[in-house]
Amino acid sequence: MSETDDRPLLAVRLDDLFKTVRPKGRHWTNAEVAEELKKANPELRVGGVYLSQLRTGKRANPSPDLLAALARFFGVSVAYFFDDEVAQSVLSQLAAVEALRQSGVRAVAMRAAGMKKENLQAITAIMDQYRQLQGLPPVTDSTEPE
């Protein structure tokens, strides 16, 4: 969330899910998500316009049933909407998944799978040098190759 974003936290977090999580491998519109939610929960009252209002902060009090349905649809815990620690964890995982989607990154990850720790450390050092040569920021990853 940017410092200039004046939307309610719920709006920002819901919007982040729409922008980064890809259930069934694709981005979804508000109307499509509303239809999917109603298919799974016929008694749920939700529409594309209402989801849009939640994402922009024009509406801010969805029912617990709607929050639970949205969490299930996007594959996150309902706590994501309320708990900063859970939200940060989810966003970190989403960033890692998004990095894997980038061209070439998946191929590198697949080749690294199963390699010895020493080999992974050597490869990581080489990649860090190439990042520096290209003027890219250093990667601060708290998880070292195992």
Side-chain angles (χ1 to χ4, degrees):
M1 179 170 91
S2 75
E3 292 179 18
T4 60
D5 197 334
D6 59 353
R7 294 177 296 167
L9 192 56
L10 175 68
V12 173
R13 289 187 178 165
L14 180 59
D15 195 42
D16 283 345
L17 290 178
F18 268 87
K19 290 177 180 176
T20 57
V21 180
R22 299 179 185 181
K24 300 180 185 175
R26 57 185 285 256
H27 285 287
W28 295 77
T29 66
N30 295 321
E32 290 170 333
V33 170
E35 285 305 310
E36 291 294 315
L37 295 177
K38 287 191 277 190
K39 281 182 196 174
N41 309 287
E43 72 286 350
L44 197 61
R45 296 189 57 201
V46 62
V49 172
Y50 183 63
L51 289 180
S52 175
Q53 291 172 336
L54 287 174
R55 290 174 68 186
T56 60
K58 291 179 182 171
R59 300 286 296 267
N61 195 18
S63 71
D65 289 341
L66 177 56
L67 283 179
L70 285 164
R72 274 191 306 277
F73 180 79
F74 286 109
V76 299
S77 165
V78 175
Y80 164 81
F81 294 111
F82 307 104
D83 185 307
D84 291 341
E85 192 173 310
V86 171
Q88 188 56 47
S89 174
V90 167
L91 293 175
S92 294
Q93 291 171 14
L94 293 175
V97 169
E98 189 57 35
L100 285 174
R101 285 191 181 117
Q102 292 180 12
S103 175
V105 174
R106 181 178 288 166
V108 171
M110 294 297 291
R111 285 171 176 80
M115 295 183 85
K116 292 181 181 178
K117 181 178 181 178
E118 307 82 50
N119 294 355
L120 288 175
Q121 289 172 335
I123 292 167
T124 301
I126 292 168
M127 292 176 76
D128 287 342
Q129 290 174 353
Y130 275 102
R131 287 185 64 81
Q132 185 177 12
L133 287 172
Q134 292 182 10
L136 295 170
V139 174
T140 54
D141 184 18
S142 61
T143 58
E144 288 296 316
E146 296 180 15

